[in-house]
Amino acid sequence: MNNISNIPERVLQVLDGLFTEGRCPHALLIDGSGSLQREQVSRLAAKMIVCSNQSRTPCGSCENCRKADENIHPDIITLEKPSDKKYYVKADVKKLVGDAYLTPNEAQKKVYILPELQNMNEESQNLLLKILEEPPVYTTFVLTSQTANAVIGTVLSRVTRVRLGSTEDVEYSEKAIEVVRELCKAVSSHREYDKIKATAPLDGNKKLTAEVLTLFIAVLRDAIALKNQGKAILSDFSRESTELSTRQTLKKLLDVYDAVSGIHQSLENNPNYTLLTAVLCARI
Ligand SMILES: [Zn+2]
């Protein structure tokens, strides 16, 4: 189960960095790549959290590591969506939030693994937010998701992201890159004209709109991560995301992120692009 040979070196380095000198992030979000790799990385992270050897985690030889390997560690708790349900059950999430305040059994910390958050609706994610905002010192979370877009902005702002696949590495058109840069400037501008000008190229152009929104969401995510933790695995728009994070409040960034994610989701079933462009113009 803990076959780390399938995990890319870059990801192992990122995890190592997060756990140096006995540090331990209170919540991780592992996104991208396939579900199997997400599962492997989440199990490895859980093992690193419970391991008793703080200078070299996971040591692989302590009692905590051994039990993690055998999937019998009492402080590694996985909550999943029932196989016959479309989404996580709200009552299960509520119970987890209550249990999260109980102290660990054997390790210094306990870990809740919540796989595939794309299967958790907004209502349940909001329940989770409460504990993510102020978790007990001994409680940690390892979340996974197909994409970070499936995670609500407020949850996203509380977690440290570990990206597996580099979905942002695909080639984007020059035009899309130019529009994203203009959109970033427009967010920081108080002039209505700048917002209209930045969104105008999208009017009626479905392909460009999809491309631009995907990129814009990635930039906003980076800006939120920078604002919140001072670090991020940056997209190619590091200048723009840094600028957004210094000029904007976290609330404004979250508002724009949620608005843009919402428009991105409705893009598939809403053929009225003129309306979507107008909504985007009003929300940035
Ligand atoms: Zn160990």
Side-chain angles (χ1 to χ4, degrees):
M1 265 325 231
N2 276 306
N3 186 1
I4 64 164
S5 61
N6 295 328
I7 302 173
E9 185 58 35
R10 180 185 66 82
V11 174
L12 293 175
Q13 277 173 9
V14 168
L15 280 178
D16 253 356
L18 292 173
F19 285 88
T20 45
E21 292 163 40
R23 284 184 303 144
C24 174
H26 86 271
L28 288 176
L29 170 68
I30 295 152
D31 65 275
S33 189
S35 62
L36 186 65
Q37 191 166 87
R38 287 194 291 275
E39 188 189 337
Q40 286 172 334
V41 176
S42 64
R43 289 191 176 281
L44 173 63
K47 187 172 155 185
M48 292 172 93
I49 292 167
V50 295
C51 174
S52 334
N53 188 334
Q54 293 219 330
S55 57
R56 192 172 55 89
T57 181
C59 70
S61 52
C62 71
E63 190 66 6
N64 286 320
C65 280
R66 195 186 58 76
K67 287 192 175 175
D69 279 339
E70 290 176 27
N71 281 333
I72 54 163
H73 202 298
D75 295 317
I76 300 178
I77 306 118
T78 305
L79 180 67
E80 278 178 295
K81 153 190 106 62
S83 54
D84 60 337
K85 294 267 184 337
K86 193 171 173 215
Y87 294 112
Y88 272 81
V89 177
K90 193 180 147 194
D92 292 347
V93 179
K94 217 172 189 165
K95 182 172 181 306
L96 178 147
V97 172
D99 289 350
Y101 293 97
L102 304 172
T103 50
N105 293 291
E106 293 177 15
Q108 291 290 317
K109 289 179 188 284
K110 63 173 173 178
V111 193
Y112 288 98
I113 302 181
L114 288 106
E116 311 298 291
L117 276 211
Q118 72 274 10
N119 301 324
M120 187 185 284
N121 63 22
E122 202 175 321
E123 201 186 357
S124 296
Q125 289 194 30
N126 269 316
L127 284 176
L128 208 57
L129 180 64
K130 210 180 123 209
I131 185 89
L132 287 174
E133 277 173 337
E134 278 179 274
V137 284
Y138 45 79
T139 301
T140 62
F141 291 87
V142 177
L143 319 171
T144 78
S145 183
Q146 239 166 26
T147 73
N149 296 355
V151 180
I152 60 172
T154 39
V155 166
L156 202 62
S157 73
R158 307 284 169 202
V159 299
T160 302
R161 273 186 76 198
V162 178
R163 292 181 192 170
L164 302 185
S166 39
T167 42
E168 272 95 32
D169 284 352
V170 280
E171 287 286 315
Y172 287 98
S173 66
E174 285 292 318
K175 183 72 193 165
I177 292 168
E178 187 192 313
V179 175
V180 171
R181 297 221 154 103
E182 289 303 316
L183 283 173
C184 290
K185 278 189 222 157
V187 172
S188 298
S189 168
H190 295 294
R191 295 198 312 168
E192 193 61 28
Y193 172 74
D194 291 332
K195 299 180 196 285
I196 295 168
K197 197 175 138 226
T199 50
L202 303 178
D203 197 355
N205 191 334
K206 185 187 179 183
K207 188 170 170 286
L208 183 67
T209 304
E211 228 183 339
V212 164
L213 292 185
T214 308
L215 266 177
F216 193 30
I217 288 169
V219 179
L220 288 165
R221 272 199 317 246
D222 277 347
I224 290 168
L226 279 168
K227 186 96 196 163
N228 208 42
Q229 298 138 351
K231 61 178 183 287
I233 306 163
L234 294 165
S235 67
D236 293 336
F237 291 81
S238 55
R239 192 163 45 94
E240 282 77 11
S241 43
T242 308
E243 222 168 88
L244 280 175
S245 77
T246 40
R247 285 182 168 199
Q248 303 302 326
T249 61
L250 182 60
K251 187 180 178 303
K252 166 81 181 182
L253 290 173
L254 289 170
D255 282 352
V256 178
Y257 175 87
D258 285 340
V260 178
S261 301
I263 294 168
H264 190 242
Q265 272 163 23
S266 56
L267 197 60
E268 281 310 309
N269 34 33
N270 190 345
N272 189 343
Y273 301 110
T274 304
L275 179 66
L276 288 178
T277 307
V279 173
L280 179 65
C281 184
R283 296 293 300 270
I284 61 171

